[in-house]
């Protein structure tokens, strides 16, 4: 017998199983239940009173016919895992690699991505972070329009495809982090709110807010946490990146994130492997990553946009929008030594004070995920252009050196490691004409307000926008690209083998800067970078012993000084 259940308070519900409808029994707290014999992959849906069209299960494990189709039963125990010896991959000391399944390979599937995993191990990555893969409407999407929070997207390969990917990653020593979205449902195919109060009366930039603290919110919170535990337990995923947690409005005594951290820690103890929760937050609040015993939420890490903004503005000269306060070498020093630039300081973009200081002596740098590029910082540019389109090869190498020798957990965006020339643009495939038009017009108007010509903004619905965003793997061996790739490999190897570069303690990072140059002391190592287009001689706060890595030939050691060629960086051992 198979148990079919759905939460639908104040509703009358019937079950459609195959071609037949069946009565369901009302239980406590608005749950409806039916026990019936069913094939292991039976199609089913629920009929609400007054509707003849069955709706998919809000907890559907499989949507092979898309988000508007019937749900399908799925037996998690049937998959033949081979990773029984896998003991996990902890976040401290790791290098993350963010990728989008649909554009990582020409085929855009989990199985095709498996064929490129050896590239990631050769690079030195430790954890692969997948952009959201739960089911969304259409075939092409970044993934943040997901509506089925328990079902992997069918066009990528469905449940078995994701399991094959995780299993193959583990076989190569790679952990897998999954990006998940709990702050809103996508605009098409979100049937869960038709059953029960999954949404509140509030809103956020992406739609109606999820009900975390109103009537019925206990079941909604359980819905989210059960989804979190499912990815970690049933799909053997090693961690989750939690999208825009600042949009999770929760005035309860115990915040959803803290409740989630408690249950994930319990599961990690049961599975005997580390499980990581990484928050994306706009709040600059270290409370997220402060241990629960010290009054925090107990998450393991959070994305640090301030590091990106400091590096991006310094290297590119851009100052528009939220970049306005960034761009100086003093700003770079602040983030390298203290993680946040806005830490209770004035934010001109927000028109108020923002953030809270990090305790540099008690909060390790590995709790902050830092990056030069990511899906947002590329894809939310009008034409999706990468740093490759803006910076010289010399400054690209300087940028990589500053990131990969920082005290933070570094994350690379797919193709960054070989200076990929392909853009990564915003793409959708909404089949509803009105929704498609709204997305097209909204995107163009948004960028017009920032000075971009509407004609320059790619049409998200055009399949060519999606195709342009796919990586060109033939570039790896081409001049220029191969050189950047080799530097990334060397930097990651150096990061692992040099004790000073693995030291996560922020109070031991010492930054000095001068005219277009910066010198960073990391224990027995010094990182020096010349951002100018002329040769510079810089003082080193110790006597150099040897040059461990240089991004350009011609670095000269002169007692306590280094001569750096234009747009170059060096890592030296000191005494």
């Amino acid at each position: 017998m198979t148990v079919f259940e759905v939460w639908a308070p104040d509703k009358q519900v019937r079950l459609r199983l195959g071609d037949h409808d069946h009565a369901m029994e009302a239980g406590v707290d608005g749950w409806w239940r039916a026990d019936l014999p069913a094939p292991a992959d039976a199609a089913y849906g629920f009929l609400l009173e007054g509707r003849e069209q069955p709706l998919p299960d809000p907890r559907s494990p499989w949507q092979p016919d898309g988000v508007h189709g019937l749900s399908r039963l799925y037996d998690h125990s049937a998959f033949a895992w081979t990773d029984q010896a896998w003991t996990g991959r902890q976040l401290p000391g790791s290098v993350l690699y963010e990728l989008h399944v649909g554009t990582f390979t020409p085929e855009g599937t989990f199985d095709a991505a498996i064929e490129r995993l050896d590239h990631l191990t050769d690079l030195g990555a430790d954890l692969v972070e997948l952009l959201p893969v739960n089911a969304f409407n259409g075939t092409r999407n970044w993934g943040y329009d997901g509506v089925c929070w328990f079902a992997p997207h069918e066009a990528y390969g469905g449940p078995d495809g994701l399991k094959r990917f995780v299993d193959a990653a583990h076989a190569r020593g790679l952990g897998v982090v999954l990006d998940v979205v709990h702050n809103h449902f996508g605009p098409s195919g979100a049937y869960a709110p038709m059953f029960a109060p999954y949404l509140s009366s509030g809103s956020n930039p992406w739609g109606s807010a999820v009900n975390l603290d109103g009537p019925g919110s206990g079941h909604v919170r359980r819905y989210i946490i059960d989804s979190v535990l499912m990815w970690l337990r049933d799909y053997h995923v090693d961690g989750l990146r939690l999208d825009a947690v600042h949009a999770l409005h929760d005035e309860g005594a115990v915040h959803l994130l803290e409740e989630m951290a408690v249950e994930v820690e319990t599961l990690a103890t049961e599975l005997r492997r580390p499980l990581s929760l990484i928050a994306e937050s706009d709040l600059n609040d270290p409370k997220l990553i402060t241990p629960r015993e010290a009054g925090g939420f107990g998450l393991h890490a959070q994305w640090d946009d301030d590091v990106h903004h400091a590096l991006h503005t310094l290297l590119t000269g851009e100052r528009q929008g939220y970049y306005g306060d960034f761009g100086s070498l003093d700003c770079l020093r602040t983030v390298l030594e203290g993680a946040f630039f806005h830490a209770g300081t004035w934010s001109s973009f927000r028109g108020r004070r923002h953030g809270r200081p990090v305790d540099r002596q008690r909060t390790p740098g590995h709790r902050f995920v830092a990056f030069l590029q990511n899906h947002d910082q590329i894809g939310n540019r009008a034409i999706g252009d990468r740093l490759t389109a803006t910076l010289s090869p010399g400054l690209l190498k300087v940028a990589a050196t500053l990131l990969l020798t920082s005290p933070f957990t570094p994350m690379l965006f797919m193709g960054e490691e070989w200076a990929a020339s392909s853009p990564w643009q915003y793409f959708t495939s909404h089949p509803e004409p009105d929704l498609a038009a709204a997305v097209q017009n909204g995107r163009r108007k948004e960028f017009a307000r920032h000075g971009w010509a509407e004609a320059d903004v790619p049409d998200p619905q055009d399949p060519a926008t999606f195709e342009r965003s796919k990586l060109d793997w033939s570039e790896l061996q081409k001049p220029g690209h191969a050189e950047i790739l080799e530097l990334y490999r060397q930097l990651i190897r150096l990061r692992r083998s040099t004790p000073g570069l693995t030291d996560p303690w922020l109070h031991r990072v010492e930054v000095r800067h001068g005219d277009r140059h910066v010198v960073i002391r990391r224990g027995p190592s010094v990182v020096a970078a010349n951002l100018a287009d002329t040769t510079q001689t810089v003082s080193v706060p110790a006597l150099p012993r040897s040059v461990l890595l240089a991004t350009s030939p011609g670095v000269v050691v002169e007692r306590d000084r280094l001569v750096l060629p234009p747009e170059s960086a060096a890592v030296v051992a000191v005494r």
Side-chain angles (χ1 to χ4, degrees):
M1 301 291 282
T2 299
V3 178
F4 296 88
E5 292 181 303
V6 67
W7 179 50
D10 304 320
K11 301 284 173 63
Q12 296 290 318
V13 187
R14 291 175 295 146
L15 169 70
R16 178 162 295 175
L17 181 59
D19 296 327
H20 298 90
D21 295 346
H22 302 269
M24 300 189 74
E25 182 179 348
V28 297
D29 294 334
W31 282 88
W32 293 79
R33 176 185 175 117
D35 294 5
L36 295 166
D41 60 350
Y44 71 100
F46 298 110
L47 292 130
L48 297 179
E49 186 176 12
R51 295 183 60 94
E52 294 302 319
Q53 186 68 27
L55 303 179
D57 185 354
R59 290 174 174 252
S60 171
W62 189 15
Q63 289 294 126
D65 299 317
V67 299
H68 298 292
L70 290 174
S71 299
R72 194 79 64 88
L73 294 177
Y74 180 80
D75 182 3
H76 280 290
S77 66
F79 186 82
W81 290 96
T82 65
D83 68 347
Q84 289 79 9
W86 177 249
T87 57
R89 181 72 66 220
Q90 68 171 11
L91 197 61
S94 291
V95 174
L96 283 162
Y97 187 96
E98 185 186 38
L99 69 86
H100 176 265
V101 174
T103 52
F104 186 57
T105 64
E107 300 84 355
T109 65
F110 294 125
D111 288 333
I114 289 172
E115 300 303 312
R116 296 294 181 178
L117 290 178
D118 289 340
H119 165 77
L120 302 187
T121 56
D122 182 57
L123 174 66
D126 300 288
L127 290 157
V128 185
E129 182 174 313
L130 302 181
L131 269 66
V133 301
N134 57 298
F136 53 80
N137 193 29
T139 56
R140 306 180 304 276
N141 198 287
W142 280 14
Y144 297 91
D145 288 331
V147 292
C148 298
W149 293 3
F150 291 73
H153 188 54
E154 188 66 16
Y156 292 163
D160 279 358
L162 177 56
K163 289 183 176 182
R164 288 192 295 270
F165 178 86
V166 175
D167 200 45
H170 289 173
R172 292 163 172 80
L174 290 167
V176 178
V177 174
L178 193 61
D179 195 338
V180 291
V181 183
H182 301 134
N183 50 55
H184 74 288
F185 288 94
S188 179
Y191 293 110
M194 296 179 66
F195 288 85
Y198 284 89
L199 301 177
S200 72
S201 59
S203 64
N204 57 45
W206 307 285
S208 297
V210 176
N211 173 23
L212 300 179
D213 53 12
S217 59
H219 294 285
V220 180
R221 296 166 74 97
R222 192 69 255 165
Y223 176 79
I224 293 171
I225 291 176
D226 285 350
S227 172
V228 163
L229 299 178
M230 178 208 66
W231 296 121
L232 299 169
R233 180 190 60 241
D234 299 332
Y235 285 91
H236 293 202
V237 167
D238 301 282
L240 300 176
R241 182 262 191 188
L242 310 172
D243 180 66
V245 299
H246 52 272
L248 297 172
H249 182 80
D250 183 4
E251 295 185 357
V254 179
H255 195 282
L256 173 71
L257 294 175
E258 183 180 354
E259 185 178 350
M260 189 183 298
V262 170
E263 298 219 22
V264 168
E265 185 67 22
T266 301
L267 181 62
T269 305
E270 174 190 335
L271 299 178
R272 300 176 65 189
R273 59 183 174 92
L275 301 174
S276 300
L277 292 175
I278 306 168
E280 181 204 18
S281 173
D282 185 45
L283 301 178
N284 279 25
D285 189 352
K287 182 178 182 179
L288 292 171
I289 54 172
T290 299
R292 291 182 61 248
E293 54 267 35
F297 287 170
L299 303 182
H300 302 90
Q302 66 182 98
W303 275 27
D304 192 339
D305 280 333
D306 281 16
V307 175
H308 168 270
H309 298 350
L311 287 167
H312 183 92
T313 52
L314 182 64
L315 294 164
T316 66
E318 294 182 9
R319 298 292 187 278
Q320 74 277 13
Y322 50 69
Y323 290 153
D325 295 335
F326 298 83
S328 68
L329 282 164
D330 199 50
C331 167
L332 179 64
R333 181 186 67 186
T334 298
V335 299
L336 289 178
E337 292 182 345
F340 293 149
F341 180 66
H342 288 305
T345 56
W346 177 260
S347 165
S348 63
F349 177 70
R350 298 172 180 85
R352 58 171 172 80
R353 295 173 69 87
H354 182 67
R356 180 187 296 184
V358 172
D359 187 333
R360 298 172 63 231
Q361 291 193 323
R362 291 181 172 86
T363 307
H366 59 65
R367 291 187 187 159
F368 300 92
V369 175
F371 35 82
L372 294 169
Q373 305 177 79
N374 64 35
H375 70 277
D376 271 331
Q377 301 299 341
I378 300 173
N380 282 326
R381 297 172 65 83
I383 58 174
D385 51 318
R386 297 169 178 260
L387 279 178
T388 314
T390 304
L391 299 184
S392 66
L395 286 181
L396 283 175
K397 294 175 183 178
V398 169
T401 303
L402 292 174
L403 174 70
L404 288 166
T405 60
S406 76
F408 312 115
T409 296
M411 185 182 76
L412 314 179
F413 182 69
M414 61 178 194
E416 171 189 334
E417 71 275 20
W418 76 77
S421 64
S422 55
W424 202 73
Q425 299 174 334
Y426 182 69
F427 46 83
T428 56
S429 57
H430 299 300
E432 303 91 340
D434 290 347
L435 179 56
V439 171
Q440 292 165 334
N441 295 332
R443 192 78 175 173
R444 287 169 177 160
K445 290 178 180 178
E446 176 186 353
F447 284 108
R449 290 194 296 268
H450 294 280
W452 292 82
E454 290 192 26
D456 293 339
V457 181
D459 179 359
Q461 287 285 120
D462 186 348
T465 303
F466 174 65
E467 293 298 325
R468 277 193 300 271
S469 300
K470 293 189 175 186
L471 289 177
D472 178 3
W473 286 89
S474 70
E475 291 182 334
L476 267 71
Q477 307 303 323
K478 292 181 179 179
H481 299 287
E483 182 182 356
I484 296 290
L485 176 59
E486 182 55 30
L487 175 67
Y488 269 81
R489 289 170 175 155
Q490 291 177 8
L491 281 167
I492 293 173
R493 286 197 297 268
L494 184 66
R495 180 183 179 87
R496 289 213 178 96
S497 62
T498 307
L501 301 184
T502 59
D503 184 349
W505 295 108
L506 297 174
H507 70 283
R508 294 206 283 250
V509 179
E510 178 188 346
V511 181
R512 303 179 183 181
H513 61 81
D515 182 20
R516 298 293 291 169
H517 72 263
V518 60
V519 178
I520 307 157
R521 179 72 183 264
R522 302 292 317 279
S525 302
V526 165
V527 181
N530 175 16
L531 282 67
D533 58 4
T534 58
T535 298
Q536 292 208 73
T537 300
V538 303
S539 297
V540 178
L543 290 176
R545 289 190 297 109
S546 60
V547 177
L548 303 176
L549 179 145
T551 65
S552 177
V555 174
V556 178
V557 177
E558 295 181 348
R559 293 182 58 82
D560 61 347
R561 298 184 301 173
L562 290 176
V563 179
L564 297 174
E567 298 182 346
S568 70
V571 183
V572 299
V574 296
R575 59 176 177 268

